[in-house]
Amino acid sequence: MSLFGVSLATLFLTAQGVVGRNFPFESAQLTQADARDIPAIRFGDKERAPPWDVTTPRCRAWPDSHDWPSNSEWKQLNVSLGGALLRPLPAASACYPGEGFNETTCRWLVNQSDRTHFWIDEPLSTLTQWPQGSTCPLTLNPEGSCTRGGFPKYVVNATTVKHIQAAVNFARNKNVRLVIKNTGHDFGGRSMGAGSLSIWVHNLKSFEFIPEYNVGRYSGMAVHVGAGMESWEQFNHMAANNIAVVAPGGNSVGAVGGWIAVAGHGGLTSKYGLGSDQVLAINIVTADGKFLTVDPNNHQDDLWWALRGGGPSTFGVITSVILKAYPPINVTTASLSFSVNPSLATPNTTAPPANANSLTDLTSFWGGVSLTYHYCTHIIAAGGFCYSYIYPLGNSSFSFTTSHFLPNTNFSAASALLQPLYTQLNTAHTIPVTLPTNLPSTPYAGNGRRTGASGSEAVNTRYRSRLFPSSLWRNTTQWATIFAATIRAAVEEGGYTFHGIGYSPTADVAGWPGVDSAVHPAWRDAALHGSLMEVQPLGLTAAEARKRDERVKGYVGRWQALMPGAGAYMNEGDPAEAEWQGRFFGVHYRRLVGVKRRWDPWGVFWARTTVGSEGWEVQSWDGYPMSQNGRLCRVVGEK
Ligand SMILES: Cc1cc2nc3c(=O)[nH]c(=O)nc-3n(C[C@H](O)[C@H](O)[C@H](O)COP(=O)(O)OP(=O)(O)OC[C@H]3O[C@@H](n4cnc5c(N)ncnc54)[C@H](O)[C@@H]3O)c2cc1C
Ligand SMILES: *[C@@H]1O[C@H](CO)[C@@H](O)[C@H](O)[C@H]1NC(C)=O
Ligand SMILES: *[C@@H]1O[C@H](CO)[C@@H](O)[C@H](O)[C@H]1NC(C)=O
Ligand SMILES: *[C@@H]1O[C@H](CO)[C@@H](O)[C@H](O)[C@H]1NC(C)=O
Ligand SMILES: *[C@@H]1O[C@H](CO)[C@@H](O)[C@H](O)[C@H]1NC(C)=O
Ligand SMILES: *[C@@H]1O[C@H](CO)[C@@H](O)[C@H](O)[C@H]1NC(C)=O
Ligand SMILES: *[C@@H]1O[C@H](CO)[C@@H](O)[C@H](O)[C@H]1NC(C)=O
Ligand SMILES: *[C@@H]1O[C@H](CO)[C@@H](O)[C@H](O)[C@H]1NC(C)=O
Ligand SMILES: *[C@@H]1O[C@H](CO)[C@@H](O)[C@H](O)[C@H]1NC(C)=O
Ligand SMILES: *[C@@H]1O[C@H](CO)[C@@H](O)[C@H](O)[C@H]1NC(C)=O
């Protein structure tokens, strides 16, 4: 009974030593005694769960209908949470007549909020807005009224494990949809849901440096990190402790949440592996409400394997992780860009002068871009990372920009590695680029800036992803053919932006225990993670959104034909990806479903394209594809 009490959980011993290195916030746990008084927060029993595919009740409870918990039940939950239950209004409600209206606040949100951390510290907001259903857009001139749309109904501002356990138990016992939000960066609406109770892990910011950590074959430095850590904060902790930790490149991305759950890339990925490869232990609240430590000695055959690569919001709520740490490391960065504007080939004295790297010949431009992607194989072989975009500018004008990151090198070695690329661009493609004569080597740690993240259309982006297998790079001729049919066609004809990130988290680089995990095997043999990016304007009709989906399928179809078995990265992939099970999880999918059914037989955790999610769908009120603005119900007639 006191198994869930503080003392036993923290002192529980095995032959390997102490299990569960808990932060103070993790020692505050829900007890059987707490649950005895409030039936709605009683723990679950996996052995007594109904069969996985039972169809009643067919839907999750819906606010204000007969199956929704009563006000007094919500009050009781709030009491058990010590008052941490929030019922926030959407931020933009300040712009609409009614509850929450405040003109000053509205003006500030419209004009200044993008330059602050506001949207990340806000309990409901997510960076990508279309899944919400556009029912409360931020504007000085509102039409209609503001409704919650795809936003959750209640939010638990979790600051203890007890909060999370009570919320999971309540959602499971009362058939309420549950969502988990950390930073809200997910591009596919996976951190929101209409009519849900949201567990907000953002405030779990604990950090501890562990000079020596031993588990299995690992012996070395480690860090213990709370689930709410953001990448910029993680960088500052690295500087303060004179260490390096693999972290997301994006400053405001969660350093633990979605990123660690399904691979996760960053500047050191070719050198030290993916986010999932760094994990040495995981503290988690599972669907039955219990708090566990999962590591190479505990639950090693299922959860330990599945939680590293098997996806977020699937097996439980992670409260903290222990990650590998490395000695401090410097990174040398070299940026390269060139563009093309064929109209400048016609002499026109009134036209603006071409900049030094602006070409007029499309063959040169695309030849140079293709070569640069091919050359990235040398950079990743040296432990480096290539980060690029190809932008269509209209009227057959395009620009290409890339940055090459080289860890642990010096100026002369970096120059020697990069110079042949510049020489070949000059000679084979007449692109007048020169290698900078000053390539600074700067510490990887310590540049963590607290950045805002806008709630604007700029991040309202749909991604389509593929992990391009290294076999495509066999030689430059073969690569040029593939490149033209896949990347060039999508940008030149399709008008999509291409985002290419070159890195190579091979099995050797991943090492132990990363190599034995649920990470899609496609990552181990990939040399490029390519995505097509498309801004999804707000306020599209469902029909317009579907038409856009159809159009992009034409281009993704060509990728499909040339790379039939290629994997894709869920976090920067398409929530409408066809056959997402194989694309995002590969051969591991079947085994992952087994783990899901064993650990969450109720289907408490649900988010689009996560393991086992095909049995449910959101019935969006207007049919907008993949919107979260609707009730979550079982898919009927299809098992
Ligand atoms: C500006 C920007 C920059 C980016 N840069 C990078 C990058 O450099 N590298 C990269 O690999 N990706 C990058 N991404 C993609 C990023 O990895 C995903 O958006 C990722 O899902 C973010 O995770 P989060 O926890 O921060 O966000 P959230 O949207 O809060 O969560 C994402 C998913 O994880 C679940 N989740 C969150 N916390 C937990 C938890 N504690 N337990 C269980 N489930 C949880 C949520 O329910 C949701 O399904 C970037 C995205 C953006 C918007
Ligand atoms: C929960 O309780 C706190 C403290 O009493 C209160 O401030 C808060 O408004 C309550 N939440 C809800 C949703 O009623
Ligand atoms: C509106 O918001 C501003 C800024 O937060 C605050 O100072 C003011 O009191 C609010 N006005 C009303 C009427 O609530
Ligand atoms: C936005 O705020 C800036 C000051 O930060 C001010 O100069 C500008 O006029 C404001 N714009 C609008 C449209 O309110
Ligand atoms: C969440 O809880 C923390 C800690 O109690 C508190 O500082 C913060 O203001 C809360 N956030 C909201 C939005 O209530
Ligand atoms: C010359 O350039 C100007 C300015 O960009 C443009 O308006 C004009 O159409 C161009 N003329 C020709 C003949 O291309
Ligand atoms: C493309 O060229 C046409 C005709 O010269 C011009 O009207 C249009 O504005 C241009 N578009 C862009 C995006 O430059
Ligand atoms: C730079 O690095 C290379 C390769 O590691 C090494 O051989 C060389 O001595 C270094 N040069 C300087 C100036 O440190
Ligand atoms: C890293 O770069 C800094 C200056 O940016 C320099 O002081 C330091 O010596 C470098 N460290 C290593 C290990 O090269
Ligand atoms: C390069 O690839 C092309 C196309 O696949 C092939 O025809 C050619 O023989 C290859 N060249 C070399 C040197 O391997």
Side-chain angles (χ1 to χ4, degrees):
M1 283 222 245
S2 48
L3 192 61
F4 313 110
V6 175
S7 51
L8 267 183
T10 42
L11 296 178
F12 185 41
L13 297 172
T14 72
Q16 284 78 29
V18 177
V19 170
R21 185 184 269 269
N22 291 348
F23 283 124
F25 82 82
E26 292 173 310
S27 296
Q29 297 173 15
L30 187 71
T31 62
Q32 296 284 22
D34 297 324
R36 201 172 36 237
D37 300 337
I38 308 176
I41 60 169
R42 280 188 190 150
F43 290 94
D45 180 351
K46 298 198 289 288
E47 310 312 320
R48 291 182 186 196
W52 171 260
D53 44 11
V54 82
T55 51
T56 49
R58 204 172 76 71
C59 298
R60 292 295 178 220
W62 190 245
D64 306 326
S65 55
H66 70 279
D67 53 358
W68 189 248
S70 66
N71 285 342
S72 68
E73 285 174 306
W74 286 108
K75 262 198 192 120
Q76 233 178 6
L77 173 64
N78 195 13
V79 169
S80 74
L81 295 169
L85 188 67
L86 313 176
R87 199 178 155 272
L89 293 171
S93 65
C95 304
Y96 292 77
E99 197 189 354
F101 177 76
N102 183 323
E103 197 183 334
T104 316
T105 304
C106 176
R107 284 194 183 283
W108 182 83
L109 289 172
V110 169
N111 189 13
Q112 265 126 308
S113 59
D114 282 8
R115 299 192 286 281
T116 73
H117 208 253
F118 176 85
W119 297 103
I120 296 171
D121 291 332
E122 213 277 325
L124 293 180
S125 295
T126 60
L127 269 63
T128 295
Q129 294 168 66
W130 59 263
Q132 190 269 345
S134 300
T135 67
C136 189
L138 180 59
T139 168
L140 288 173
N141 306 300
E143 285 169 27
S145 56
C146 164
T147 69
R148 235 164 231 286
F151 286 137
K153 188 88 177 174
Y154 289 96
V155 176
V156 177
N157 180 9
T159 53
T160 65
V161 158
K162 181 180 175 179
H163 290 159
I164 296 173
Q165 292 177 297
V168 167
N169 286 345
F170 186 87
R172 188 194 60 251
N173 291 331
K174 304 306 293 181
N175 188 37
V176 170
R177 182 175 176 192
L178 188 74
V179 302
I180 306 164
K181 176 168 149 6
N182 180 20
T183 68
H185 276 54
D186 185 78
F187 292 112
R190 296 184 187 88
S191 27
M192 62 161 64
S196 69
L197 170 62
S198 169
I199 297 178
W200 189 35
V201 298
H202 176 64
N203 290 309
L204 305 177
K205 301 282 192 186
S206 305
F207 179 92
E208 186 197 0
F209 172 54
I210 308 170
E212 195 181 322
Y213 189 83
N214 298 299
V215 64
R217 279 181 259 161
Y218 185 80
S219 179
M221 295 188 290
V223 290
H224 187 196
V225 188
M229 190 68 67
E230 292 164 55
S231 188
W232 66 277
E233 296 168 311
Q234 186 84 314
F235 275 98
N236 291 336
H237 285 300
M238 292 178 214
N241 292 283
N242 199 31
I243 52 170
V245 177
V246 178
N251 255 344
S252 51
V253 177
V256 175
W259 184 79
I260 253 176
V262 62
H265 60 76
L268 297 183
T269 288
S270 302
K271 187 162 179 63
Y272 294 135
L274 297 161
S276 301
D277 296 336
Q278 309 309 313
V279 181
L280 298 169
I282 297 165
N283 284 347
I284 187 170
V285 174
T286 48
D288 51 9
K290 290 167 192 166
F291 176 63
L292 312 173
T293 292
V294 178
D295 74 1
N297 300 317
N298 296 281
H299 310 290
Q300 60 270 38
D301 294 332
D302 52 13
L303 275 186
W304 169 240
W305 172 80
L307 285 169
R308 296 167 302 134
S313 207
T314 306
F315 306 104
V317 185
I318 290 176
T319 59
S320 70
V321 293
I322 293 179
L323 305 175
K324 292 180 177 181
Y326 307 90
I329 190 165
N330 276 2
V331 178
T332 298
T333 307
S335 298
L336 167 67
S337 56
F338 49 89
S339 58
V340 63
N341 181 352
S343 75
L344 296 178
T346 320
N348 179 341
T349 47
T350 61
N355 82 43
N357 294 346
S358 183
L359 316 171
T360 55
D361 176 20
L362 285 167
T363 310
S364 285
F365 176 80
W366 290 112
V369 175
S370 166
L371 172 73
T372 307
Y373 281 117
H374 193 267
Y375 201 85
C376 182
T377 51
H378 299 294
I379 290 160
I380 63 184
F385 188 77
C386 314
Y387 191 87
S388 74
Y389 292 95
I390 315 171
Y391 297 107
L393 304 174
N395 288 348
S396 298
S397 291
F398 303 92
S399 75
F400 172 64
T401 167
T402 187
S403 291
H404 296 136
F405 298 91
L406 292 161
N408 225 6
T409 186
N410 57 36
F411 175 66
S412 49
S415 301
L417 179 63
L418 292 171
Q419 187 54 55
L421 168 63
Y422 287 75
T423 306
Q424 287 174 53
L425 287 170
N426 299 159
T427 55
H429 301 287
T430 58
I431 301 176
V433 286
T434 48
L435 181 65
T437 52
N438 174 31
L439 295 175
S441 174
T442 55
Y444 168 74
N447 52 2
R449 280 179 307 110
R450 182 179 197 257
T451 44
S454 61
S456 75
E457 251 179 61
V459 288
N460 225 20
T461 305
R462 285 282 301 277
Y463 282 77
R464 275 84 184 183
S465 152
R466 281 297 181 275
L467 301 171
F468 287 56
S470 62
S471 59
L472 302 177
W473 271 256
R474 215 157 277 137
N475 67 47
T476 41
T477 322
Q478 178 185 314
W479 169 248
T481 312
I482 303 277
F483 174 84
T486 55
I487 301 172
R488 178 174 174 175
V491 179
E492 194 169 37
E493 297 165 32
Y496 299 101
T497 295
F498 179 76
H499 183 21
I501 318 182
Y503 52 87
S504 166
T506 61
D508 278 354
V509 164
W512 189 88
V515 71
D516 183 17
S517 71
V519 164
H520 192 321
W523 290 92
R524 306 303 179 201
D525 183 43
L528 177 73
H529 164 216
S531 348
L532 293 188
M533 292 168 62
E534 181 193 19
V535 170
Q536 182 120 351
L538 293 178
L540 289 182
T541 65
E544 285 164 343
R546 274 195 294 269
K547 214 165 140 189
R548 283 170 166 257
D549 272 5
E550 281 309 312
R551 182 176 185 276
V552 79
K553 271 186 198 155
Y555 294 94
V556 174
R558 296 194 209 178
W559 293 22
Q560 186 61 22
L562 283 155
M563 305 182 281
Y569 180 31
M570 187 180 94
N571 282 342
E572 292 175 332
D574 186 1
E577 177 73 52
E579 293 161 35
W580 53 265
Q581 293 90 340
R583 274 310 138 226
F584 296 155
F585 303 99
V587 293
H588 294 326
Y589 193 72
R590 195 182 277 269
R591 182 174 165 198
L592 283 167
V593 169
V595 180
K596 170 73 176 176
R597 290 186 186 195
R598 208 152 47 246
W599 283 90
D600 182 13
W602 306 272
V604 172
F605 300 105
W606 189 91
R608 180 166 287 281
T609 78
T610 57
V611 169
S613 63
E614 55 280 268
W616 295 79
E617 69 189 357
V618 172
Q619 300 183 339
S620 78
W621 72 274
D622 63 351
Y624 195 102
M626 293 150 306
S627 163
Q628 289 302 316
N629 184 11
R631 190 172 188 176
L632 183 63
C633 293
R634 285 189 186 270
V635 176
V636 179
E638 217 186 288
K639 295 239 179 91

